[in-house]
Amino acid sequence: MTTLEKFELKDSSFNRLMSIHESKLRKFALQLTKDADLAEDLYQDTSIKIFINIEKLTGDNLFINWSMQIMKNTFLDYLRKDSRRLKP
């Protein structure tokens, strides 16, 4: 299988999974941030991380649980960055 074929397979799987779980992930992002704009940024950043790491998803992991954990960790990274910027 060529690199392009692998990418297309990965992209197809990613798109299918994201379309199934998009509403849950967007809702979770809004629950975490309580801000629509920040929630959209969080969703986009999480989507990128999911795409990059989709091969790490094992059969034992449920996609939505794995994705929500990535989102939660990404949100915690946001909070850490903000807390560092607020310090004098």
Side-chain angles (χ1 to χ4, degrees):
M1 183 178 289
T2 68
T3 303
L4 180 59
E5 288 171 330
K6 287 179 185 177
F7 176 80
E8 288 172 348
L9 181 62
K10 178 180 175 179
D11 187 45
S12 174
S13 299
F14 169 78
N15 287 332
R16 193 170 41 254
L17 287 167
M18 290 302 286
S19 67
I20 292 168
H21 299 289
E22 179 179 4
S23 63
K24 289 178 187 174
L25 289 170
R26 287 186 183 278
K27 184 177 178 181
F28 186 54
L30 192 56
Q31 287 174 340
L32 290 171
T33 63
K34 308 210 181 345
D35 177 272
D37 292 331
L38 187 55
E40 182 60 26
D41 290 345
L42 179 59
Y43 176 80
Q44 293 298 325
D45 289 346
T46 301
S47 297
I48 292 166
K49 289 180 180 182
I50 291 169
F51 181 77
I52 291 169
N53 294 295
I54 194 109
E55 285 114 7
K56 294 179 183 176
L57 181 64
T58 64
D60 297 339
N61 294 336
L62 291 174
F63 176 80
I64 190 64
N65 294 341
W66 180 73
S67 300
M68 290 173 97
Q69 186 62 49
I70 292 172
M71 183 173 282
K72 180 181 169 187
N73 291 341
T74 302
F75 178 66
L76 291 174
D77 289 343
Y78 282 2
L79 293 178
R80 284 186 208 105
K81 287 177 187 175
D82 279 348
S83 69
R84 283 185 285 217
R85 272 188 275 179
L86 296 174
K87 291 182 181 177

